[in-house]
Amino acid sequence: MRPTVHDIAASAGVSLATVDRVLNHRPGVRGVTRAKVEAAIETLGYVRDVAAANLAKGRVYPLVFIVPAGDNPFMRGLEAEILVAGRRSPADRAQISILTVPAFDPLALVEAIDTAAADQPAGIAVVAVDAPEVAAAIDRARTTGVPVVTLVSDLAASGRDHFVGIDNVAAGRTAGSLMGRFLGSRPGPVAVLAGSMLVRDHRERLEGFTAAMAEHSEVRVILDVLEGQDDPMLAEELVAMCFNAHPDLAGIYSLGAGNRGLVTAISARAPKGLRVIAHDLTSHTRSALKAGLIDAVLHQDAGHEVRSAIRVLKAKADGVAVIEAQERIRIDIFLKDNLPPEQRGDLRDQVEQDD
Amino acid sequence: MRPTVHDIAASAGVSLATVDRVLNHRPGVRGVTRAKVEAAIETLGYVRDVAAANLAKGRVYPLVFIVPAGDNPFMRGLEAEILVAGRRSPADRAQISILTVPAFDPLALVEAIDTAAADQPAGIAVVAVDAPEVAAAIDRARTTGVPVVTLVSDLAASGRDHFVGIDNVAAGRTAGSLMGRFLGSRPGPVAVLAGSMLVRDHRERLEGFTAAMAEHSEVRVILDVLEGQDDPMLAEELVAMCFNAHPDLAGIYSLGAGNRGLVTAISARAPKGLRVIAHDLTSHTRSALKAGLIDAVLHQDAGHEVRSAIRVLKAKADGVAVIEAQERIRIDIFLKDNLPPEQRGDLRDQVEQDD
DNA sequence: CTGTTAGCGCTTTCAA
DNA sequence: TTGAAAGCGCTAACAG
């Protein structure tokens, strides 16, 4: 049997309360006493039973997630993952609530943040919009003592405690590296379809993509960015026009949302041998991948992100350090051949520890 | 506050013990009483606090992992992950012990399985060798009531309860698909370096690779398999000979271990523009990826596999169903641009829930 | 500064 | 067939 607080209390010749104080770095223990207890902990190899501690504490962590509304499939998937986490949240003593706000609307976001902070939750996770008012709102929340993490889209200008999301420059580089290998010495320019260059993630992905493409031996023209506003209709139109203007188009990198339009345009008439790389595995990109219309999809696992956000916020609430390297979100690459199984909603009801 | 056993006891007008009996489907409760309790559970929306239940039960799960000895980096990484899981095992009430056995030695493996089963642990996870004696040993253990899962390498011929590992045919297909895209219309044959065609995983990977390559429009010669016995020296030699015999070699797929030798041969003198895809991220493949000697690495996350094995074995021990789709292990693809950070050993000391 | 005591939500003897 | 009471490992009043 592993040692308990009773064992170290006995071994150190003190009471349970004193052991507890030492364990939790609470004040009111003489140096000598503390040393005795620590020695006992050390020699007995004591490790605290976190489950029992939590049970005794009865502490809960009210957490607020703020996500953009709208039909962006990635965001809807993110929300679904938050709900999943919410359903098994009793297990990790988190109480999760979700606030949806109009997309790309700084003022609405500011209001949501202020509202959330007013309830003094244990933490706030927010999909940030890159605006000074938003940064200010985040700073206000933190001043009130509420930890804030940015989710998916960062806002470094704010004093947010942590960013939960992928390294978008690296994602862009990965796409560029893949595209370079896919194209080899095949001639022709490459197009980039983005949502908006006003969004930080998209700018960063483009930057990484361009850099990685430049590293390849073949010289290749990268056309002016097509800004599809994450809107399927507009994206389709822009891509179709691009096909017209560049019949020799060799590749296209879609670094934002609106991939439904992209796929429509491609299946209508794409230049022969066109290589396509897109972001985020959704029902649309998944089926396009299977059909061979898209070659590869870069992905960030929303479930991982949500669980990471919860861990980080709880850690911040407790004033405990976060192991940054451990909370780094992976950039997944999917081909049609390594697609994960489609998760039915009710399967996710089960406890899912990781993976 | 969510309802507790006390609440349902009060609401149903019975004692805690009776509630517990109903909750755990234990006998000795009248039908009417049971119905009353179940009604209360339903209307109050009760969900059991698993942590508290485990605390009260004090149940532990002794689990034995059997892995091959030797300097195969993947296996050593696997063992490291088992140790990591072992260190935080108190949290999930698992008591993990590791048995190492000579690699590719069916008899030694049989003995290890029998020894492990003799202690009547809650479960056994074994990296299987494809031999009838091993299948028989696994069946013996299961007859004794000890659940067994195969890990990384399957043995479907046995009655193992579950296989924890990647779909190796799909992995081969992924490699073939990538290779096909990398090579495009560039001429030249492709070589395959394997450990041994006697191992099931390797056979399956080859099968998938060949199939995927055949699907690509370009006709391409796939050379006879080089069997490197997962031995760096032999692998180096075989690859070097292959370079000699085929100066126009376009690509090489290394589907087993021994990649240190592969990398040495490549860095010595590889045909210009050679595309290389290997398996398993190790220090060797990682640095070769960074150096541009390898284009892509397919990977199975040993940490995920270990945690999945633990979950599955505990579920089997409790006679609870496993959600197969949820326990499916992903095939990861790494380029130099999306490499995960190198985990320092001591970082893994922290609790890592998933991801 | 230190100890006593009750209790978190659940399980488990032992009696009734 | 049912219930009372003790206890899992830890924390948190409240006393001393």
Side-chain angles (χ1 to χ4, degrees):
Chain A
M1 248 354 240
R2 50 192 264 243
T4 74
V5 276
H6 290 94
D7 298 319
I8 60 177
S11 163
V14 298
S15 74
L16 288 192
T18 301
V19 172
D20 186 67
R21 283 189 266 263
V22 174
L23 238 32
N24 294 289
H25 309 102
R26 269 191 283 267
V29 184
R30 247 189 325 166
V32 239
T33 320
R34 177 178 303 278
K36 269 194 307 189
V37 174
E38 275 161 353
I41 290 176
E42 179 65 31
T43 59
L44 295 193
Y46 170 83
V47 288
R48 168 217 255 98
D49 182 330
V50 191
N54 282 336
L55 175 59
K57 274 205 279 266
R59 156 142 209 197
V60 288
Y61 301 80
L63 261 29
V64 183
F65 280 74
I66 307 179
V67 297
D71 61 358
N72 179 329
F74 176 78
M75 291 305 169
R76 297 289 64 77
L78 184 71
E79 189 171 357
E81 290 293 347
I82 299 171
L83 288 170
V84 169
R87 255 182 281 128
R88 62 118 194 258
S89 60
D92 36 9
R93 318 202 74 79
Q95 288 181 331
I96 297 174
S97 51
I98 306 181
L99 248 41
T100 56
V101 295
F104 303 114
D105 182 341
L107 268 46
L109 187 50
V110 165
E111 200 190 321
I113 294 172
D114 287 338
T115 308
D119 292 343
Q120 286 288 108
I124 299 177
V126 56
V127 178
V129 172
D130 203 337
E133 310 91 289
V134 176
I138 290 178
D139 288 340
R140 268 198 301 282
R142 295 197 63 250
T143 308
T144 333
V146 180
V148 179
V149 301
T150 47
L151 190 59
V152 178
S153 184
D154 197 9
L155 215 183
S158 71
R160 90 281 189 279
D161 292 87
H162 181 88
F163 167 57
V164 179
I166 59 172
D167 176 340
N168 283 293
V169 177
R173 274 197 280 106
T174 304
S177 195
L178 264 184
M179 185 63 87
R181 284 177 173 76
F182 283 177
L183 294 182
S185 57
R186 183 184 182 298
V190 166
V192 175
L193 173 65
S196 158
M197 280 301 101
L198 296 176
V199 189
R200 178 187 207 87
D201 320 24
H202 291 194
R203 284 202 310 272
E204 291 180 345
R205 287 177 188 176
L206 176 63
E207 174 194 335
F209 182 75
T210 314
M213 288 294 287
E215 278 173 24
H216 276 260
S217 46
E218 335 285 339
V219 188
R220 189 168 308 275
V221 174
I222 298 185
L223 303 173
D224 285 346
V225 173
L226 308 171
E227 296 196 43
Q229 306 298 334
D230 285 1
D231 171 23
M233 300 300 204
L234 182 52
E236 177 181 353
E237 196 177 324
L238 290 173
V239 172
M241 283 171 56
C242 181
F243 289 166
N244 271 346
H246 304 277
D248 62 335
L249 193 72
I252 182 163
Y253 173 40
S254 167
L255 54 73
N259 284 321
R260 203 178 68 220
L262 170 75
V263 171
T264 312
I266 293 174
S267 55
R269 60 156 189 358
K272 186 175 159 296
L274 181 77
R275 292 306 184 183
V276 182
I277 299 177
H279 266 269
D280 295 325
L281 196 63
T282 63
S283 58
H284 302 117
T285 53
R286 176 185 282 270
S287 60
L289 212 42
K290 280 189 189 153
L293 298 171
I294 292 182
D295 293 274
V297 167
L298 303 196
H299 185 75
Q300 50 186 320
D301 190 309
H304 285 185
E305 294 179 324
V306 169
R307 296 189 287 272
S308 177
I310 294 172
R311 281 198 298 273
V312 171
L313 284 176
K314 283 171 60 180
K316 296 292 180 187
D318 289 341
V320 177
V322 172
I323 313 294
E324 296 282 341
Q326 186 174 305
E327 297 299 347
R328 180 139 133 191
I329 305 296
R330 287 223 183 136
I331 299 165
D332 292 324
I333 303 176
F334 293 119
L335 306 186
K336 73 168 189 299
D337 308 282
N338 70 330
L339 277 176
E342 214 151 353
Q343 296 272 11
R344 295 249 330 282
D346 42 336
L347 292 183
R348 318 283 319 233
D349 282 21
Q350 309 302 322
V351 173
E352 178 197 5
Q353 287 201 355
D354 49 83
D355 320 337
Chain B
M1 252 349 241
R2 47 194 265 242
T4 75
V5 276
H6 290 94
D7 298 319
I8 60 177
S11 164
V14 299
S15 74
L16 289 189
T18 301
V19 172
D20 186 68
R21 284 188 266 262
V22 173
L23 238 33
N24 294 289
H25 308 103
R26 268 191 283 269
V29 184
R30 249 188 323 164
V32 238
T33 320
R34 177 178 303 279
K36 269 194 307 185
V37 174
E38 275 161 352
I41 290 176
E42 179 65 31
T43 60
L44 295 193
Y46 170 83
V47 287
R48 170 216 253 98
D49 181 330
V50 191
N54 283 335
L55 175 59
K57 273 206 278 269
R59 156 140 211 204
V60 288
Y61 300 81
L63 261 27
V64 183
F65 279 74
I66 306 178
V67 297
D71 60 358
N72 179 329
F74 176 78
M75 292 304 169
R76 298 288 65 77
L78 184 71
E79 190 171 357
E81 290 293 347
I82 299 171
L83 288 170
V84 169
R87 254 182 282 129
R88 61 116 196 259
S89 61
D92 35 6
R93 318 201 74 80
Q95 288 180 332
I96 297 174
S97 50
I98 305 181
L99 249 42
T100 56
V101 295
F104 304 113
D105 182 340
L107 268 47
L109 187 50
V110 166
E111 199 189 321
I113 294 171
D114 287 339
T115 308
D119 292 342
Q120 285 289 109
I124 299 178
V126 55
V127 178
V129 172
D130 203 338
E133 309 91 291
V134 177
I138 289 177
D139 289 340
R140 268 198 301 282
R142 296 198 61 250
T143 308
T144 333
V146 180
V148 179
V149 301
T150 47
L151 190 60
V152 178
S153 183
D154 197 9
L155 215 182
S158 71
R160 88 283 189 280
D161 291 86
H162 181 89
F163 167 57
V164 178
I166 59 172
D167 176 340
N168 283 294
V169 177
R173 273 196 282 105
T174 304
S177 197
L178 264 185
M179 185 63 87
R181 284 177 173 76
F182 283 177
L183 294 182
S185 58
R186 183 184 183 296
V190 166
V192 175
L193 172 66
S196 157
M197 280 300 102
L198 296 175
V199 189
R200 178 187 205 88
D201 320 25
H202 291 194
R203 284 202 310 273
E204 291 180 344
R205 289 178 187 176
L206 177 63
E207 175 194 336
F209 181 76
T210 314
M213 289 294 288
E215 278 172 23
H216 277 259
S217 47
E218 335 285 338
V219 188
R220 188 168 308 274
V221 174
I222 298 185
L223 302 173
D224 285 346
V225 173
L226 308 172
E227 296 196 42
Q229 306 300 332
D230 286 359
D231 171 24
M233 300 300 203
L234 182 53
E236 177 181 353
E237 197 176 325
L238 291 173
V239 172
M241 283 172 56
C242 181
F243 289 166
N244 271 346
H246 305 277
D248 62 335
L249 193 72
I252 183 164
Y253 172 40
S254 167
L255 55 73
N259 285 320
R260 203 177 68 220
L262 169 75
V263 171
T264 311
I266 293 173
S267 54
R269 61 158 189 356
K272 186 173 158 297
L274 181 77
R275 292 305 183 185
V276 181
I277 299 177
H279 266 269
D280 294 326
L281 196 63
T282 63
S283 57
H284 302 117
T285 52
R286 176 186 283 272
S287 58
L289 212 42
K290 281 188 189 154
L293 296 172
I294 292 182
D295 292 274
V297 167
L298 303 195
H299 185 74
Q300 51 186 320
D301 190 309
H304 285 184
E305 294 179 324
V306 169
R307 296 189 287 273
S308 177
I310 294 172
R311 280 199 298 274
V312 171
L313 284 176
K314 284 171 59 178
K316 296 292 180 186
D318 289 342
V320 177
V322 172
I323 312 294
E324 296 282 341
Q326 186 174 305
E327 298 299 346
R328 180 140 133 193
I329 305 295
R330 289 223 182 136
I331 299 165
D332 292 325
I333 304 176
F334 293 118
L335 306 186
K336 75 167 187 302
D337 308 283
N338 70 329
L339 277 176
E342 213 151 353
Q343 297 272 10
R344 295 248 331 280
D346 41 337
L347 291 182
R348 318 284 317 235
D349 282 23
Q350 309 303 321
V351 174
E352 179 198 5
Q353 286 201 355
D354 49 80
D355 323 334

